[in-house]
């Protein structure tokens, strides 16, 4: 049976921790000079309707690092731009490549590709979920803080695809999560309701960033206006300003809390230069870990370990 990574709900707690532990192992082995060739002779197709720097380079580096190759297709390079049915595209591409990584807008695109593809489909970002990013973020947390099940994670900002995937991770793995979001920008209500039914630790939403960071081991944020929300940028700047990660807010958090940001960061908007460049911020370790996590995902899903 083909395993797809459409959202973090596709996998059990043990499987999600398996991705994280394997990514840490692959990172250690790379630093020790171990050469990996598990995917030699394999090819992955990258379909990116939304452009990206880190996600593209980290997936391509991951595949090359495992001995495989990639074919990159932007939205305009595929028949998606000319309205070819997704099910036709999925069935044809699956006969050429060993895996499909897709970065797009609607979650339904990933769902339909997975339904008709006979090779693994990986969600590299949709407007609803960002599972690969959250797995690499949790890998970073485990490296810095140890057992994530004992930690309190704070999300400060928009209830976006990142927040939705953090919620699914909290319910499935079992850690405390508190989200500070402005009214009207809460996470997806269906994802939140499903997660709260499954969760063994609290998953809550507050309007107060000070409440969120109190006793938090990890403080996490993202840009206030994502790709496709450019027309809302000015309005969002005003609404989200009270949620900025700055030295005053960090003074309300434990001194040993670490700060995550998936990058690119808009300095002096969602996070100040001072905090981003501080020793508490691990955003660049977090960015590096995307490559190691993508290696683990490709290896474990394509099944050539």
């Amino acid at each position: 049976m083909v395993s797809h990574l459409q959202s973090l709900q596709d996998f059990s707690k043990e499987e999600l921790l398996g991705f994280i532990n394997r990514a840490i192992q692959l990172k250690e082995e790379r630093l020790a000079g171990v050469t990996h060739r598990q995917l030699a002779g394999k090819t992955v197709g990258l379909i990116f309707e939304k452009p990206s720097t880190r996600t593209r380079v980290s997936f391509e580096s991951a595949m090359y690092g495992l001995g495989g190759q990639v074919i990159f297709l932007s939205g305009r390079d595929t028949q998606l731009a000319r309205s070819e049915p997704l099910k036709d595209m999925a069935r044809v591409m699956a006969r050429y490549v060993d895996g499909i990584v897709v970065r797009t807008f609607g979650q339904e695109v990933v769902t339909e590709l997975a339904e008709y593809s006979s090779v693994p489909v990986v969600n590299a970002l949709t407007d609803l979920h960002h599972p690969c990013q959250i797995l690499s973020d949790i890998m970073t947390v485990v490296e810095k803080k140890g057992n994530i099940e004992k930690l309190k994670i704070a999300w400060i900002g928009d209830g976006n695809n990142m927040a939705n995937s953090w919620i699914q991770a909290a319910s499935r793995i079992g850690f405390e999560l508190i989200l500070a979001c402005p009214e009207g920008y809460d996470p997806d209500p269906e994802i939140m309701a499903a997660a709260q039914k499954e969760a063994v630790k609290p998953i809550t939403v507050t309007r107060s960033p000070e409440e969120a960071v109190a006793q938090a081991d990890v403080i996490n944020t993202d840009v206030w206006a994502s790709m496709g929300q450019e027309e809302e940028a000015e309005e969002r700047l005003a609404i989200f300003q009270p949620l900025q990660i700055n030295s005053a807010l960090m003074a309300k958090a434990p001194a040993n809390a670490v700060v995550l940001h998936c990058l690119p960061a808009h300095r002096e908007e969602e996070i100040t230069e001072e905090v981003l460049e501080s020793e508490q911020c691990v955003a660049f370790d977090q960015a590096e870990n995307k490559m190691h996590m993508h290696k683990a995902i490709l290896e474990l899903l394509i099944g050539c370990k």
Side-chain angles (χ1 to χ4, degrees), residues 252-272:
K252 306 288 185 182
N256 64 346
V258 298
V259 177
L260 300 181
H261 193 304
C262 61
L263 303 176
H266 293 178
R267 288 168 165 80
E268 307 307 325
E269 289 186 11
E270 75 277 359
I271 188 168
T272 60

Side-chain angles (χ1 to χ4, degrees), residues 31-74:
L31 292 173
V34 176
T35 300
H36 298 109
R37 305 293 296 170
Q38 294 92 320
L39 298 187
K42 301 291 184 182
T43 302
V44 165
L46 304 183
I47 303 173
F48 277 35
E49 287 195 282
K50 280 189 172 183
S52 165
T53 302
R54 274 157 296 278
T55 302
R56 177 180 175 178
V57 174
S58 57
F59 263 112
E60 291 193 357
S61 298
M63 194 59 185
Y64 291 135
L66 293 172
Q69 300 194 36
V70 299
I71 299 172
F72 179 81
L73 298 166
S74 70

Side-chain angles (χ1 to χ4, degrees), residues 114-135:
E115 180 179 357
Y116 288 95
S117 172
S118 58
V119 300
V121 172
V122 176
N123 178 356
L125 176 140
T126 67
D127 293 342
L128 190 63
H129 295 291
H130 204 351
C132 298
Q133 178 68 54
I134 302 311
L135 283 174

Side-chain angles (χ1 to χ4, degrees), residues 45-50 73-91 93 100-106 108-110 112-113:
L46 304 183
I47 303 173
F48 277 35
E49 287 195 282
K50 280 189 172 183
L73 298 166
S74 70
R76 66 178 180 277
D77 295 327
T78 71
Q79 294 297 333
L80 286 175
R82 290 172 283 279
S83 301
E84 179 184 24
L86 283 168
K87 60 184 179 182
D88 292 356
M89 183 177 176
R91 288 179 289 194
M93 280 199 67
I100 298 171
V101 175
V102 58
R103 179 180 165 96
T104 186
F105 296 88
E108 67 277 4
V109 173
V110 175
E112 189 166 348
L113 286 173

Side-chain angles (χ1 to χ4, degrees), residues 13-305:
K13 173 181 178 178
E14 289 72 24
E15 289 169 328
L16 294 177
L17 294 177
F19 283 123
I20 293 162
N21 292 333
R22 180 58 180 157
I24 291 172
Q25 182 183 11
L26 286 166
K27 180 177 181 178
E28 292 172 348
E29 290 176 355
R30 183 173 187 264
L31 292 173
V34 176
T35 300
H36 298 109
R37 305 293 296 170
Q38 294 92 320
L39 298 187
K42 301 291 184 182
T43 302
V44 165
L46 304 183
I47 303 173
F48 277 35
E49 287 195 282
K50 280 189 172 183
S52 165
T53 302
R54 274 157 296 278
T55 302
R56 177 180 175 178
V57 174
S58 57
F59 263 112
E60 291 193 357
S61 298
M63 194 59 185
Y64 291 135
L66 293 172
Q69 300 194 36
V70 299
I71 299 172
F72 179 81
L73 298 166
S74 70
R76 66 178 180 277
D77 295 327
T78 71
Q79 294 297 333
L80 286 175
R82 290 172 283 279
S83 301
E84 179 184 24
L86 283 168
K87 60 184 179 182
D88 292 356
M89 183 177 176
R91 288 179 289 194
V92 172
M93 280 199 67
R95 298 186 183 211
Y96 300 149
V97 300
D98 302 286
I100 298 171
V101 175
V102 58
R103 179 180 165 96
T104 186
F105 296 88
Q107 183 69 20
E108 67 277 4
V109 173
V110 175
T111 301
E112 189 166 348
L113 286 173
E115 180 179 357
Y116 288 95
S117 172
S118 58
V119 300
V121 172
V122 176
N123 178 356
L125 176 140
T126 67
D127 293 342
L128 190 63
H129 295 291
H130 204 351
C132 298
Q133 178 68 54
I134 302 311
L135 283 174
S136 59
D137 294 352
I138 295 174
M139 172 188 171
T140 309
V141 172
V142 171
E143 285 183 327
K144 303 297 180 185
K145 306 292 283 186
N147 185 355
I148 192 168
E149 295 171 64
K150 296 181 178 179
L151 302 179
K152 176 184 177 182
I153 311 294
W155 172 266
I156 312 293
D158 193 9
N160 58 12
N161 50 4
M162 292 274 293
N164 291 334
S165 290
W166 268 110
I167 290 167
Q168 289 190 329
S171 66
R172 189 53 50 100
I173 294 175
F175 56 84
E176 183 177 355
L177 177 68
I178 182 167
L179 306 103
C181 306
E183 189 170 358
Y185 295 88
D186 287 339
D188 182 272
E190 291 185 9
I191 291 174
M192 176 62 91
Q196 287 178 324
K197 285 183 181 178
E198 177 182 344
V200 295
K201 298 282 183 67
I203 302 176
T204 55
V205 175
T206 177
R207 305 297 175 214
S208 167
E210 291 81 8
E211 178 186 352
V213 303
Q215 300 180 324
D217 301 287
V218 178
I219 299 166
N220 193 5
T221 191
D222 188 13
V223 296
W224 291 337
S226 299
M227 202 176 299
Q229 297 171 331
E230 290 80 2
E231 292 183 357
E232 304 173 30
E234 288 302 318
E235 179 182 5
R236 282 173 171 262
L237 278 175
I239 293 171
F240 283 85
Q241 188 60 45
L243 284 81
Q244 183 186 66
I245 308 297
N246 52 37
S247 56
L249 184 62
M250 290 302 297
K252 306 288 185 182
N256 64 346
V258 298
V259 177
L260 300 181
H261 193 304
C262 61
L263 303 176
H266 293 178
R267 288 168 165 80
E268 307 307 325
E269 289 186 11
E270 75 277 359
I271 188 168
T272 60
E273 176 89 5
E274 181 182 21
V275 174
L276 188 68
E277 297 290 349
S278 71
E279 292 185 357
Q280 284 183 272
C281 185
V282 296
F284 296 98
D285 293 332
Q286 182 185 355
E288 177 194 345
N289 284 343
K290 286 169 69 78
M291 181 185 70
H292 304 294
M293 178 52 67
H294 293 167
K295 276 186 179 177
I297 291 168
L298 293 172
E299 179 192 67
L300 294 172
L301 291 190
I302 292 178
C304 295
K305 181 181 176 184

